[in-house]
Amino acid sequence: MTVNEAPRGSPTGGGNTEEPVSLTLAESIELVRGLLANGKAAAAENLLNAILEQLPDEPDALHLLGALRDMQGRSLEALPLIERSIALMPEEPGRWNDVGNVLAKINRKPDAVKAYRRSIELAGETIGAASGYNNLGRMLLTDSLIDAEAAFRRATELSPGFAYAWYNLSQTLIELGRTAEGVDACGQAIILAPHMASREHVARALVHLGHTEEAIEHYRRWLQEDPDNPVLQHHLAALTTPDTADRASDAYVEKVFDGFAASFDDKLASLEYRAPELIRDAFASVYPSAAASLDIADAGCGTGLCGPLLAPWARRLCGFDLSGGMLAKAQSRSVYTDLHKAELVAFLRDSVAAFDVIVSADTLCYFAALGDAMRASRDALRPGGHVFYTVEASDDDTQPHRLLPSGRYAHSLVHVASSASAAGLRVVAIGRVKLREEAGRPVTGWLVTLYRP
């Protein structure tokens, strides 16, 4: 068969005067892969729809459309597409690996583990199994560090140049208390992919093990090489002077999350991250009817994990974040009406009475005192509007907030409530929740619902 590609000047191709270009099926599939690799999701989707209109059971097209839906944050739609492609071509290991990724994102961990194991079985003990072993290791981290280590180690044996597998192995070894081996594995990851922030994560893992002085020395040596690095400055301050800073700097937030954008969603899925779903559930309890009638601000939207969950309620869904890399990922979800590169408090201050609802999933944990953010939120809300947000919880009511070795702030219940009241917001509910797993331990937080009278 042949597929007619859009004219080169059309929205997917570029003018509107040339004749359509005929491609073979194989050429069309390769073109889709190239479009996806270059971030041209809309053009890829148009071509996939054209293929599937003619061949509804074309397995490669189903698989790629599923991968695109997953990239857009529509994992529940992605799953049946990839499962259908597997039913049509069940011996292809890459599809089992991809369906495992989708299952992990929708918190079907046992099924994800089965999918990764099937991918490994089909690939055999070849380099093609390395990704399956690495993903399997991520799933096993919260159950058995020993089994996770074995999976990551096998991934590095099959693919010695697999930097992320070396990085995952390093963190696992450090969590197991085998610090020297972990640092060596991390060094291998840095050699293979110098852009990775692995050295930072080694120091943080040392802190988790109680080796604070080693972590401080690690950061100090690194700062000698890179004295203006805001990430290093912030984390060293978290270990040495935790009571002096009032919030993470803009430069810190931007640098960290620009570097984290590509792997952010997968990393959070491996940590069983739940903040967006918790926000959605609190939202739905206040607004049970999803009538696409609300102007919603997603403050610190990141890659847009909240976006697809809140879109049914939104007339306008506005996202803003300091990280351009994160915003690019959010844009690919195609659910936001507008996205802005902006600091949270400044943007809300400039948006007087612009929103019915403000949501913020784990963004305010980069603030110490919450007063400025609460006052800006009140100003940006219309009367009768609501704020929904999560932060990490501190049980020490003798101090309003404390800077954690992770570089995030934890807030006391007293401070959460008092900062809202002082800003003129009424507390509707504050509940203790599990936000995610970290280093095999639950991270608890506050899920907060506020009302502007």
Side-chain angles (χ1 to χ4, degrees):
M1 63 156 283
T2 61
V3 177
N4 288 329
E5 185 191 0
R8 298 201 183 277
S10 73
T12 61
N16 53 15
T17 59
E18 300 181 27
E19 292 296 319
V21 178
S22 291
L23 302 173
T24 67
L25 175 59
E27 290 170 338
S28 298
I29 293 296
E30 284 308 305
L31 177 57
V32 168
R33 296 186 196 279
L35 291 169
L36 290 174
N38 288 286
K40 297 180 180 178
E45 184 168 356
N46 287 341
L47 188 49
L48 285 169
N49 286 334
I51 295 170
L52 290 169
E53 184 176 349
Q54 296 182 53
L55 294 173
D57 287 333
E58 207 299 304
D60 286 325
L62 288 166
H63 178 206
L64 290 169
L65 185 58
L68 176 58
R69 289 286 178 262
D70 189 41
M71 182 181 71
Q72 292 169 332
R74 297 156 65 180
S75 298
L76 290 175
E77 296 176 46
L79 183 60
L81 291 166
I82 301 179
E83 286 180 330
R84 178 62 180 151
S85 77
I86 290 173
L88 292 164
M89 193 176 286
E91 304 302 310
E92 216 293 305
R95 293 180 190 176
W96 285 98
N97 188 61
D98 285 353
V99 82
N101 292 338
V102 174
L103 290 163
K105 287 183 180 179
I106 61 175
N107 295 319
R108 288 174 54 181
K109 181 177 173 180
D111 292 331
V113 168
K114 291 177 183 178
Y116 292 138
R117 291 193 187 282
R118 181 58 176 155
S119 174
I120 292 165
E121 179 185 4
L122 290 170
E125 293 302 299
T126 69
I127 191 171
S131 182
Y133 273 115
N134 183 60
N135 289 329
L136 177 63
R138 292 190 299 109
M139 290 295 99
L140 297 176
L141 278 171
T142 55
D143 298 325
S144 170
L145 289 173
I146 295 295
D147 290 343
E149 179 204 349
F152 294 136
R153 194 174 293 282
R154 189 60 183 141
T156 63
E157 291 167 351
L158 293 172
S159 179
F162 195 171
Y164 284 100
W166 282 107
Y167 163 63
N168 288 329
L169 176 61
S170 74
Q171 286 206 301
T172 305
L173 289 167
I174 290 172
E175 284 299 319
L176 286 166
R178 290 150 61 187
T179 305
E181 291 179 71
V183 171
D184 287 344
C186 183
Q188 186 65 29
I190 293 169
I191 291 170
L192 292 167
H195 64 281
M196 293 175 66
S198 302
R199 291 164 79 177
E200 174 192 345
H201 290 285
V202 166
R204 290 169 63 183
L206 289 170
V207 172
H208 279 299
L209 290 170
H211 303 313
T212 305
E213 292 304 317
E214 292 179 55
I216 290 172
E217 183 59 29
H218 183 87
Y219 278 130
R220 284 177 172 160
R221 287 198 305 268
W222 196 359
L223 268 169
Q224 289 175 354
E225 303 171 26
D226 191 4
D228 297 323
N229 189 316
V231 175
L232 308 184
Q233 292 167 349
H234 181 76
H235 283 292
L236 184 59
L239 295 171
T240 56
T241 56
D243 300 322
T244 58
D246 61 354
R247 54 155 292 184
S249 69
D250 290 358
Y252 167 80
V253 173
E254 186 169 0
K255 185 175 180 67
V256 165
F257 288 98
D258 277 350
F260 201 16
S263 60
F264 185 79
D265 291 2
D266 286 343
K267 176 64 175 176
L268 290 186
S270 73
L271 299 176
E272 300 180 15
Y273 179 63
R274 300 178 61 236
E277 288 78 11
L278 293 167
I279 292 277
R280 186 268 319 279
D281 292 346
F283 190 110
S285 71
V286 175
Y287 298 97
S289 176
S293 61
L294 299 172
D295 294 335
I296 302 172
D298 188 354
C301 63
T303 62
L305 291 172
C306 285
L309 302 177
L310 301 179
W313 282 269
R315 175 176 58 190
R316 176 191 180 196
L317 183 54
C318 167
F320 51 97
D321 200 283
L322 275 168
S323 168
M326 291 288 194
L327 289 169
K329 298 285 283 188
Q331 180 69 48
S332 72
R333 298 187 189 276
S334 302
V335 295
Y336 290 91
T337 54
D338 51 306
L339 288 162
H340 306 270
K341 189 175 185 296
E343 191 274 328
L344 185 149
V345 171
F347 186 87
L348 291 175
R349 282 176 175 165
D350 290 341
S351 305
V352 177
F355 299 107
D356 301 301
V357 177
I358 299 169
V359 303
S360 184
D362 280 10
T363 298
L364 296 177
C365 56
Y366 293 97
F367 287 72
L370 297 174
D372 286 348
M374 293 300 100
R375 286 186 288 272
S377 296
R378 183 194 180 282
D379 291 344
L381 280 176
R382 297 165 186 149
H386 289 81
V387 180
F388 304 89
Y389 74 87
T390 58
V391 286
E392 293 188 24
S394 170
D395 291 322
D396 183 0
D397 286 333
T398 65
Q399 53 182 335
H401 44 75
R402 55 192 179 91
L403 183 56
L404 304 172
S406 64
R408 296 183 294 271
Y409 290 89
H411 296 85
S412 73
L413 180 60
V414 170
H415 179 65
V416 168
S418 63
S419 61
S421 298
L425 295 167
R426 183 183 303 161
V427 175
V428 176
I430 303 175
R432 183 184 290 275
V433 293
K434 175 185 170 182
L435 296 173
R436 65 183 179 280
E437 295 276 338
E438 192 167 286
R441 295 182 289 274
V443 175
T444 61
W446 306 118
L447 173 62
V448 184
T449 302
L450 307 174
Y451 171 74
R452 179 187 171 177

